[in-house]
Amino acid sequence: MSTNESILEVTDLRTSFFTEGGEVKAVDGVTFDVPAGKTLGIVGESGSGKSITAMSILQLISHPGKIKGGEIKFRGKNLLDLTEKEMRKIRGNQISMIFQEPMTSLNPTYTVGQQIRESYKIHQGLGKKEGSKRAIEMLKLVGIPSPEKRLDQYPFELSGGMRQRVMIAMALACKPDLLIADEPTTALDVTIQAQILELIKELQDELGMSVVMITHDLGVVAETCDYVAVMYCGKVVEYADVRTLFKNPRHPYTVGLLKSLPRSDRDQEELTPIKGTVPSPDEMPVGCRFAPRCPFATDLCHEKLPSLDDVGDGEQIRCWIYTDEWNGDPGVKVYEPERTTES
Amino acid sequence: MSQKELLKVKNLKQYFPIKGGILGRTVNNVKAVDDISFTVHEGETVSVVGESGCGKSTTGRAILRLDNPTDGTVEFDGINLLDLNKKEMRKMRKDMQIIFQDPYASLNPRQTVRETLREAMAIQGVVPKEERADRIAELLETVGLQPYHADRYPHEFSGGQRQRIGIARALSVDPKLIVCDEAVSALDVSIQAQVLNLLKKFQKEMNLTYLFISHDLGVVRHISDRVIVMYLGKIVEVGDKKSIFENPQHPYTKALLSAIPVPDPDHDKDRIFLQGDVPSPIDPPTGCRFHTRCPFATERCKEETPELRSTGYMAEGHQGACHYMELIESGEHQPTRETSKVRQLSEEPERV
Amino acid sequence: MTTYIIRRLFQLIPVLFGVTLLVFLLMHLTPGNPAQLIAGETASQSTIERIEVSMGLDDPLPVQYVNFVTDVAQLDFGYSYRNNTPVFDEIKPRFWVTMELAIYSTILSIFIGLIAGIVSAVRQYSVRDVTIMIIALFGMSMPNFWLGLMLMNWFSIQLGWFPPTGWGSVEQIVLPVITLGTAGAAVIARMTRSSMLDVISQDYIRTARAKGVHEQIVIYRHALKNALIPVVTVVGLQFGTLLAGTVLTETVFSINGLGRLVIDSIMARDFPVVQACILIISVIFVVVNLIVDISYTLLNKRIDMD
């Protein structure tokens, strides 16, 4: 994998939701590493389980969801072995999280100051005065003008971009080692998105944090991440460093995503969509989850689930094509770089 | 693409009153769309892009008279829609359809797909009764659904399928113009590509005209012939796709394009960070509305409202609304503000 | 905020106008001449006319209405037909009894309702939740006079713990307050539960948990304050129902309050007293709802107060 040591190692994580219709395996054996000081992107479409994975790391899954098994090793110790009390000391202190909707992720009935101070109170036992001082420092750090005034404002008085900055200030208040950002810019306008992504990157360098970036946007991945895990139907299908993933994608799903993407930086003649739709939980294929939509699928793919295997250079693929058992066209080319007119 | 002007919007204004005070009178207006003019030719796709609050969706709604515009004219096929009474307008709606972002919210949950399509055809009376069943089957096939889907309810479909139903409904009355209001924004990329391809195919086959409203510039680049960039209710730049994406002249368009994350780790990032957020459209900035965030703003921008115009650096039909376009391009006018830092924010106006 | 309060106060004017007009017309639309009523069945025409003149009953209706409002504004509600005492003196002691009953009952229903609602919501669909909601359903559906009679039967007559009638001592207060407060408690419990369930699934609750906030603080600090917003409205509306309920409760427990006075006065066709009671109850209701609306905006920072 990487030469760096990992700050977070997730192994065979399984999280299910138990509904009237039966068990829905939202996260179904997810494995990945987050190298220290780096950014791992988890990318996937809706229903891939990427957000549930993030929530599982902090054990924020509530009824009827349940973490069924696996291991979440944070700096060497398995978080799933901790008590709820021990886990509370990790949340917001060593591992923090920011969310997709800055408009609704702050409590509307408390001021910005009250909400940031709470972190200091819980984790460092600071009182109002010291807490306010630190809160002002944090607001300055995330580039909020006149922070003293903002402290007494309510979330509704701030714009979306400002709220996401407040969320970041709150998340970073205790200088965590790991920040999990769950679609942090999806709800924001593109010029604001650029500010927030840059801000996260700068703060990461300054504070030496590691980041897990959950997103559906391959552009965001290319710009912010060092490593990428591509998820489909609750499983990681490809794990690679960001250059390899974009320059030489190997899993047919990754390739399909890239080919479906309308680009703003160059002209494309035609988009090549992935056929069909994501299977619903009650009709999950038994073999490779992607087989029904995969242009290369053989009987083997429909019958047996491939495992996530190392293919060298720290890359991992869950696909029969890259195994000895592959019984389809031996010379199959999953990805051919498009000839494009670069702008 | 013909040169026939299908839609001609002139000086369109859409204000929404704000009530307030002790007596609840109109104290101010949200100037959602403030004096815009543009033309759409038959068979082309014109995109309206911009960030939230720029008035792009309001423009689409005003053209179809889903809201009643405050002022201006909207000529469709030579007829000013704003002069029509309700009955006449209803007839015109046959030629002008809209597809919304959330297909679920725009489909009646208690109607099967067949009922929805049949109702659309019956209201407009374009398809004779006895042909409707065949037409429905044909439509569903065209949008890539199966005939048995006709008797299902909206909740039984996925997001992408529902959007296809929305398209089928729009197509069912043989329209000339379809306004696509963020029509693919809610869809995952793999499904989005399917729907985009479908829209392109129909355009070719049925000579449809699209007014495509979107915030996603990748999608816009893919589908458009021409692009209109809006900011706070005004058009800041308009031109063919190539001009806008490869030779943007307005500082806002430049910043907007530079802000899009590109799915290529080797992409050369020369990002322009705009300061703060979009101001409120209730009391928009004087002069050029972009001056509060523009890297090149001067005193003149605060006072004089720039009009759309062309410069020597622009191709035919490419226009921008900025006092300094040619001077910026020639390098004679330099930035007046820092644009490389995200934490050097000027004081933004209070939001109330 | 000040603008909001001023605007709300202005809005009271048409409401109060409507209330006074209705109450005034009530007297004039009911069959029977008030002067005749005072003078008695056998009085002569001239006596009746004299009384009419002295009471201003011969003036045109609008003039009478203006006089009526002017008097009411000075707390002059006229004289009771029955006792010929100023209505104000008649009402005053009873008014406080009813207010005590209403306030204690409201406090009880808020207290019980909130606790039950929160406990239910925190463990949705648990045995505890289902039990509380079944009890709440009973509490809402039970007519309060029946509940009063049952309570009286068990606790006063069978067990002898509380006196069956009267008002004043702590023992006397318990049963009527339970009788009157139960329905409100049930309504508030149901509202609190659904409001809490709604709030608990909000993004900011997830944020609080992700910050490492203790679950109890998540519930009682982060969730409750937001969940209270719709509950406050229900409390205001409930107060109106409660005022109506005092009539029955006071009758069952023979409490000399406003409610019973209304009933007695209606029976005796003592219109000035009825009028004054209805007027006072209406004004209380309007004022309570004004207070509710103001506290609503204080709780909910997002409401546009202008």
Side-chain angles (χ1 to χ4, degrees):
Chain A
M1 207 146 285
S2 68
T3 47
N4 304 42
E5 81 184 82
S6 298
I7 186 151
L8 186 76
E9 290 167 63
V10 174
T11 317
D12 195 28
L13 178 67
R14 280 170 289 126
T15 303
S16 287
F17 287 81
F18 296 90
T19 64
E20 283 168 29
E23 179 183 353
V24 175
K25 296 177 177 172
V27 177
D28 192 10
V30 161
T31 300
F32 60 80
D33 277 17
V34 184
K38 300 286 183 188
T39 301
L40 170 78
I42 300 181
V43 65
E45 298 179 288
S46 34
S48 63
K50 55 188 191 302
S51 283
I52 306 294
T53 303
M55 301 285 280
S56 300
I57 295 171
L58 277 183
Q59 292 173 41
L60 292 173
I61 302 290
S62 47
H63 186 80
K66 199 169 180 276
I67 299 175
K68 278 174 63 198
E71 211 180 49
I72 302 170
K73 267 195 175 167
F74 174 68
R75 298 163 117 197
K77 63 179 182 243
N78 185 2
L79 296 182
L80 295 180
D81 292 340
L82 299 184
T83 63
E84 171 60 22
K85 197 178 164 197
E86 289 167 322
M87 200 54 218
R88 270 204 305 273
K89 284 188 185 143
I90 303 251
R91 291 188 198 123
N93 192 20
Q94 294 176 52
I95 306 178
S96 280
M97 194 160 174
I98 54 174
F99 302 96
Q100 177 172 355
E101 292 288 344
M103 305 316 266
T104 54
S105 290
L106 288 166
N107 193 325
T109 51
Y110 291 100
T111 63
V112 166
Q114 285 170 323
Q115 297 190 53
I116 302 179
R117 279 199 300 267
E118 191 177 26
S119 288
Y120 288 117
K121 195 179 156 204
I122 299 168
H123 297 297
Q124 299 175 1
L126 298 184
K128 191 178 170 187
K129 209 175 148 205
E130 186 61 19
S132 292
K133 220 176 92 192
R134 298 276 193 91
I136 290 170
E137 279 168 27
M138 281 316 295
L139 291 178
K140 263 188 206 153
L141 187 70
V142 298
I144 290 184
S146 39
E148 294 84 358
K149 212 174 68 191
R150 300 284 171 195
L151 225 49
D152 296 323
Q153 285 186 327
Y154 287 89
F156 79 96
E157 295 173 271
L158 306 176
S159 66
M162 281 299 142
R163 283 187 220 188
Q164 198 57 298
R165 282 175 195 251
V166 169
M167 278 297 291
I168 294 172
M170 201 161 82
L172 302 188
C174 300
K175 309 271 180 332
D177 300 320
L178 177 66
L179 174 70
I180 302 171
D182 186 3
E183 303 261 13
T185 56
T186 305
L188 301 174
D189 277 322
V190 63
T191 58
I192 310 299
Q193 162 168 290
Q195 294 174 1
I196 298 293
L197 291 179
E198 179 64 21
L199 179 69
I200 293 176
K201 244 192 307 190
E202 286 179 12
L203 291 171
Q204 177 178 18
D205 291 343
E206 283 166 38
L207 306 175
M209 300 183 289
S210 314
V211 175
V212 174
M213 178 74 73
I214 314 279
T215 181
H216 71 280
D217 186 332
L218 288 162
V220 171
V221 172
E223 300 236 332
T224 59
C225 302
D226 302 299
Y227 296 89
V228 190
V230 180
M231 280 187 72
Y232 186 76
C233 289
K235 292 185 184 295
V236 173
V237 294
E238 183 162 2
Y239 179 100
D241 69 88
V242 71
R243 286 213 66 218
T244 309
L245 191 97
F246 282 93
K247 297 296 171 189
N248 186 22
R250 296 207 228 183
H251 196 283
Y253 176 63
T254 314
V255 174
L257 276 185
L258 286 167
K259 281 189 173 170
S260 318
L261 193 64
R263 305 276 297 242
S264 63
D265 59 329
R266 62 180 193 223
D267 287 325
Q268 292 151 294
E269 266 313 296
E270 210 183 323
L271 302 174
T272 318
I274 303 172
K275 65 176 183 188
T277 50
V278 177
S280 66
D282 51 319
E283 45 194 37
M284 198 52 76
V286 284
C288 172
R289 306 293 190 241
F290 189 59
R293 306 177 72 191
C294 181
F296 311 105
T298 64
D299 291 347
L300 175 66
C301 305
H302 287 289
E303 284 155 17
K304 259 177 88 183
L305 179 72
S307 55
L308 186 66
D309 293 328
D310 275 310
V311 290
D313 298 333
E315 209 191 333
Q316 295 173 331
I317 308 270
R318 188 190 286 279
C319 178
W320 287 118
I321 294 178
Y322 305 96
T323 64
D324 298 337
E325 281 128 288
W326 176 242
N327 57 359
D329 177 4
V332 61
K333 275 224 162 72
V334 175
Y335 180 70
E336 285 172 279
E338 289 175 68
R339 273 172 297 141
T340 50
T341 41
E342 288 284 340
S343 62
Chain B
M1 196 193 313
S2 74
Q3 275 313 298
K4 186 188 163 197
E5 290 176 349
L6 184 67
L7 178 72
K8 211 169 166 185
V9 175
K10 250 191 180 159
N11 307 104
L12 183 70
K13 286 184 189 168
Q14 178 76 66
Y15 294 175
F16 297 106
I18 303 164
K19 309 275 183 200
I22 289 171
L23 298 171
R25 276 185 305 211
T26 302
V27 288
N28 212 332
N29 285 298
V30 177
K31 296 177 176 118
V33 171
D34 199 7
D35 195 1
I36 64 167
S37 304
F38 62 91
T39 306
V40 180
H41 296 101
E42 192 170 45
E44 75 170 338
T45 301
V46 174
S47 289
V48 186
V49 303
E51 298 175 288
S52 41
C54 74
K56 54 186 190 300
S57 286
T58 311
T59 304
R61 294 179 59 87
I63 288 169
L64 294 182
R65 276 189 55 188
L66 297 177
D67 302 316
N68 264 331
T70 313
D71 198 12
T73 60
V74 177
E75 264 181 45
F76 181 78
D77 237 354
I79 300 162
N80 182 7
L81 299 181
L82 307 192
D83 290 343
L84 301 183
N85 62 32
K86 270 192 181 159
K87 204 176 149 200
E88 292 165 324
M89 189 59 212
R90 209 160 34 234
K91 272 191 196 150
M92 291 301 290
R93 291 238 160 86
K94 170 195 130 18
D95 290 332
M96 320 169 69
Q97 290 290 308
I98 185 162
I99 307 172
F100 293 102
Q101 168 169 7
D102 182 359
Y104 198 55
S106 56
L107 292 172
N108 184 342
R110 295 184 195 286
Q111 270 184 345
T112 62
V113 173
R114 185 188 306 284
E115 284 159 0
T116 299
L117 295 177
R118 198 186 282 148
E119 185 184 72
M121 291 185 220
I123 288 171
Q124 295 299 345
V126 274
V127 184
K129 231 179 184 165
E130 55 278 9
E131 287 174 29
R132 279 178 199 156
D134 292 342
R135 181 89 169 116
I136 288 169
E138 190 188 310
L139 271 169
L140 288 178
E141 203 192 316
T142 330
V143 297
L145 294 171
Q146 301 300 320
Y148 65 81
H149 283 137
D151 295 310
R152 295 200 177 169
Y153 289 91
H155 69 89
E156 298 176 72
F157 293 95
S158 68
Q161 287 175 320
R162 280 197 285 261
Q163 199 54 289
R164 286 162 195 268
I165 298 167
I167 294 170
R169 180 176 58 181
L171 293 175
S172 67
V173 296
D174 265 328
K176 292 180 180 158
L177 173 77
I178 298 182
V179 175
C180 303
D181 188 357
E182 301 277 9
V184 297
S185 305
L187 305 175
D188 278 322
V189 276
S190 67
I191 308 299
Q192 174 179 289
Q194 297 171 357
V195 174
L196 284 175
N197 284 352
L198 210 59
L199 287 172
K200 274 200 148 179
K201 187 179 133 216
F202 292 139
Q203 180 163 44
K204 238 181 258 166
E205 288 171 4
M206 306 165 72
N207 195 32
L208 286 172
T209 308
Y210 292 138
L211 187 67
F212 200 89
I213 295 159
S214 178
H215 70 278
D216 185 327
L217 288 134
V219 170
V220 165
R221 180 161 195 166
H222 181 71
I223 199 149
S224 321
D225 298 306
R226 287 196 300 128
V227 179
I228 294 169
V229 184
M230 285 184 74
Y231 184 80
L232 273 181
K234 293 259 189 207
I235 294 177
V236 295
E237 191 161 1
V238 54
D240 60 55
K241 170 169 71 178
K242 202 174 164 62
S243 303
I244 296 288
F245 279 93
E246 292 177 17
N247 184 30
Q249 293 291 304
H250 195 286
Y252 176 66
T253 314
K254 288 181 186 177
L256 189 65
L257 291 173
S258 88
I260 310 165
V262 173
D264 179 354
D266 292 337
H267 179 76
D268 203 10
K269 281 165 256 182
D270 202 6
R271 193 151 279 171
I272 305 164
F273 291 111
L274 292 179
Q275 318 212 349
D277 292 284
V278 182
S280 155
I282 297 170
D283 277 306
T286 55
C288 174
R289 295 192 171 180
F290 185 52
H291 85 252
T292 53
R293 297 171 80 202
C294 181
F296 296 94
T298 65
E299 282 302 310
R300 183 182 170 197
C301 303
K302 275 186 206 167
E303 285 146 23
E304 263 179 68
T305 308
E307 297 293 327
L308 278 172
R309 65 195 178 89
S310 252
T311 71
Y313 295 99
M314 295 160 117
E316 203 195 324
H318 184 188
Q319 290 185 307
C322 169
H323 301 304
Y324 294 106
M325 286 184 295
E326 55 274 69
L327 295 177
I328 293 169
E329 197 63 16
S330 68
E332 282 166 71
H333 183 66
Q334 290 295 319
T336 52
R337 272 188 193 128
E338 177 67 63
T339 59
S340 61
K341 294 202 178 89
V342 285
R343 282 184 277 177
Q344 207 190 33
L345 292 155
S346 70
E347 188 53 48
E348 57 174 324
E350 282 301 298
R351 286 169 62 98
V352 191
Chain C
M1 192 70 211
T2 326
T3 330
Y4 175 77
I5 294 175
I6 293 172
R7 204 176 70 202
R8 285 307 313 259
L9 286 173
F10 270 108
Q11 283 171 356
L12 283 186
I13 295 171
V15 175
L16 290 177
F17 173 74
V19 168
T20 48
L21 191 65
L22 269 177
V23 168
F24 172 75
L25 289 178
L26 183 80
M27 181 165 138
H28 287 270
L29 290 177
T30 33
N33 183 343
Q36 173 98 58
L37 216 70
I38 294 171
E41 297 282 327
T42 55
S44 67
Q45 192 60 32
S46 63
T47 321
I48 292 169
E49 273 167 22
R50 214 176 49 238
I51 294 172
E52 275 182 348
V53 173
S54 74
M55 289 174 69
L57 288 171
D58 56 340
D59 289 332
L61 271 186
V63 176
Q64 286 192 44
Y65 174 68
V66 171
N67 290 339
F68 168 69
V69 173
T70 323
D71 289 345
V72 164
Q74 297 160 9
L75 294 178
D76 175 4
F77 297 99
Y79 286 83
S80 158
Y81 294 168
R82 267 193 302 174
N83 308 330
N84 211 16
T85 46
V87 171
F88 185 70
D89 296 342
E90 189 110 345
I91 286 177
K92 211 170 131 191
R94 293 165 171 247
F95 171 78
W96 289 116
V97 170
T98 297
M99 283 314 284
E100 269 177 43
L101 177 60
I103 289 169
Y104 294 154
S105 304
T106 303
I107 291 172
L108 179 83
S109 50
I110 293 175
F111 188 73
I112 305 274
L114 279 183
I115 292 178
I118 294 167
V119 166
S120 261
V122 170
R123 289 275 171 112
Q124 195 186 2
Y125 302 135
S126 65
V127 176
R128 215 163 52 179
D129 174 30
V130 173
T131 315
I132 290 174
M133 282 305 114
I134 290 173
I135 295 172
L137 194 63
F138 269 108
M140 272 171 68
S141 332
M142 222 164 356
N144 79 17
F145 69 88
W146 185 79
L147 176 65
L149 289 173
M150 289 300 117
L151 289 175
M152 200 193 278
N153 182 30
W154 292 329
F155 295 104
S156 306
I157 297 167
Q158 312 266 349
L159 296 170
W161 292 356
F162 302 106
T165 56
W167 183 262
S169 68
V170 179
E171 291 83 14
Q172 282 173 319
I173 285 173
V174 175
L175 291 184
V177 165
I178 294 176
T179 305
L180 191 54
T182 299
V187 172
I188 291 169
R190 286 165 64 97
M191 190 66 214
T192 307
R193 176 178 181 270
S194 73
S195 173
M196 277 297 277
L197 285 175
D198 181 47
V199 168
I200 283 174
S201 65
Q202 294 292 314
D203 291 345
Y204 52 82
I205 296 302
R206 185 181 58 184
T207 305
R209 289 186 179 135
K211 256 159 79 174
V213 178
H214 195 286
E215 188 60 24
Q216 258 159 1
I217 298 175
V218 171
I219 299 294
Y220 289 101
R221 193 174 302 152
H222 288 264
L224 190 57
K225 196 169 171 188
N226 288 283
L228 277 183
I229 295 166
V231 175
V232 165
T233 315
V234 170
V235 171
L237 292 173
Q238 203 51 44
F239 196 79
T241 322
L242 204 99
L243 285 175
T246 54
V247 175
L248 292 170
T249 310
E250 287 172 10
T251 309
V252 169
F253 290 97
S254 312
I255 299 168
N256 272 327
L258 218 50
R260 230 176 127 211
L261 181 64
V262 173
I263 300 285
D264 293 348
S265 305
I266 290 173
M267 297 297 182
R269 312 194 68 145
D270 194 348
F271 286 116
V273 180
V274 177
Q275 231 179 13
C277 290
I278 293 173
L279 203 59
I280 286 171
I281 290 174
S282 312
V283 170
I284 292 170
F285 183 66
V286 170
V287 169
V288 165
N289 274 287
L290 176 70
I291 294 169
V292 164
D293 281 357
I294 291 171
S295 50
Y296 186 86
T297 51
L298 284 178
L299 265 177
N300 190 352
K301 303 290 175 191
R302 286 163 297 183
I303 291 269
D304 187 5
M305 289 175 297
D306 302 320

